[in-house]
C-alpha cells in the first residue's frame, strides 16, 4: 500500500473529498499525514476526526524555507510517504523539495492553467471577464503552478456569478477531479513525457 500526504492551509474541502475516496477504497493508498502551515485550518480538524496524523508548522518561526522544509521532510520520511497532494496549500515549495519528490507531488488549482496562476486565481479570472472558468490538476515543479497538466475541466461563467457562486461550482468539479487524479497517481498510471502527461 502506498502512503499519501496531503498539504493544506484552509478549510480542507478537497482533503475531505480525498478522505472519503480513501475510505470507500477508490484511492488505494493510506492517508498517512496531513501537513498544515496554518494552526487554525479547519482541514486539521477534519484529519483529527479521522485519526490521521497531522503536522503543523509555523513558517514565521523559522529563518528561511529550508529550515521548515527539512522538518516536513523528516515527517514525510518517518511515514515513508510516496506521494504528496497539495490541497489549498498556499505556500511555495523550494526547488530542492520539489526535486526530491519529482513527479510525486501534485496540486489542484482553481483556473485553467496557464491562465491565472497564483493565489487569487478565481477572482482574477472573474475580474478578467472569462466566459469559462475551470480547474487544473498538475504536477508540481520548481515554478508557480507551472508543472505538467494531468487533468482539466471547464465551468461556464454566468452573468450573475459572484466569487462565491462560481467557487461553489468550481469546488464540485475539484472534489470529483482530484480524487480521480490521485487514484491514477498512486496506481502508477500517470506517465510524464516532457510537458505531456499520459494516462495509462
Ligand atoms: C481550492 O479551491 C484550491 O483549488 C485552491 O484553494 C482551495 C482550497 O479549498 N488552491 C489554490 O488556489 C492554489 N493556488 P479547500 O481548503 O476547501 O480544499
Amino acid at each position: 500500500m502506498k502512503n499519501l500526504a496531503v498539504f493544506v492551509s484552509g478549510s480542507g474541502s478537497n482533503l475531505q473529498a480525498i478522505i472519503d475516496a480513501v475510505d470507500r477504497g477508490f484511492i488505494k493508498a493510506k492517508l498517512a499525514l496531513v501537513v498544515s502551515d496554518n494552526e487554525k485550518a479547519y482541514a486539521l480538524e477534519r484529519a483529527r476526526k479521522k485519526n490521521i496524523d497531522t503536522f503543523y508548522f509555523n513558517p514565521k518561526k523559522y529563518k528561511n524555507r529550508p529550515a521548515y522544509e527539512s522538518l516536513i521532510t523528516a515527517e514525510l520520511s518517518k511515514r515513508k510517504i510516496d506521494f504528496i497532494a497539495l490541497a489549498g496549500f498556499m505556500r511555495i515549495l523550494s526547488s530542492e523539495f520539489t526535486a526530491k519528490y519529482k513527479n510525486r507531488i501534485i496540486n489542484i488549482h482553481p483556473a485553467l492553467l496557464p491562465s491565472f496562476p497564483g493565489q487569487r486565481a478565481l477572482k482574477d479570472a472573474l475580474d478578467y471577464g472569462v466566459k469559462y472558468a475551470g480547474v487544473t490538476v498538475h504536477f508540481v515543479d520548481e515554478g508557480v503552478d507551472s508543472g505538467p497538466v494531468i487533468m482539466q475541466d471547464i465551468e461556464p461563467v454566468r452573468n450573475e456569478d459572484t466569487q462565491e457562486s462560481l467557487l461553489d461550482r468550481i469546488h464540485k468539479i475539484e472534489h470529483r477531479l482530484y480524487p480521480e487524479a490521485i487514484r491514477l497517481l498512486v496506481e502508477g498510471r500517470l506517465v510524464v513525457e516532457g510537458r505531456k502527461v499520459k494516462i495509462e
Side-chain angles (χ1 to χ4, degrees), residues 108-113 115-116 121-122 125-126 130-137 151-157 166-167 169-171 173-174 177:
I108 187 149
H109 184 77
L112 294 169
L113 290 171
S115 291
F116 311 113
L122 190 111
L126 253 187
V130 297
K131 298 298 183 194
Y132 289 94
V135 173
T136 304
V137 179
M151 284 181 181
Q152 288 184 307
D153 204 352
I154 55 167
E155 174 61 33
V157 177
L166 182 58
L167 184 61
R169 303 203 302 286
I170 288 292
H171 268 153
I173 296 176
E174 291 189 337
L177 226 56

Side-chain angles (χ1 to χ4, degrees), residues 83-200:
F83 298 105
I84 300 169
L86 308 183
F89 184 65
M90 296 302 185
R91 195 158 285 281
I92 293 175
L93 295 162
S94 70
S95 51
E96 289 74 24
F97 188 93
T98 55
K100 190 172 158 68
Y101 287 94
K102 189 173 162 61
N103 295 343
R104 296 193 292 143
I105 315 184
I106 66 174
N107 181 41
I108 187 149
H109 184 77
L112 294 169
L113 290 171
S115 291
F116 311 113
Q119 295 205 355
R120 302 179 329 153
L122 190 111
K123 180 177 190 306
D124 292 346
L126 253 187
D127 289 351
Y128 191 88
V130 297
K131 298 298 183 194
Y132 289 94
V135 173
T136 304
V137 179
H138 64 93
F139 280 104
V140 175
D141 63 8
E142 64 286 351
V144 177
D145 299 326
S146 57
V149 171
I150 301 167
M151 284 181 181
Q152 288 184 307
D153 204 352
I154 55 167
E155 174 61 33
V157 177
R158 302 172 188 164
N159 288 339
E160 66 279 13
D161 262 331
T162 59
Q163 266 190 75
E164 291 67 35
S165 63
L166 182 58
L167 184 61
D168 225 45
R169 303 203 302 286
I170 288 292
H171 268 153
K172 289 202 174 75
I173 296 176
E174 291 189 337
H175 300 162
R176 171 172 50 79
L177 226 56
Y178 214 17
E180 176 65 29
I182 294 170
R183 168 192 170 94
L184 294 169
L185 178 72
V186 303
E187 289 179 6
R189 292 170 58 195
L190 298 178
V191 179
V192 187
E193 288 170 9
R195 282 220 52 92
K196 308 267 173 68
V197 179
K198 287 187 185 145
I199 297 175
E200 291 197 327

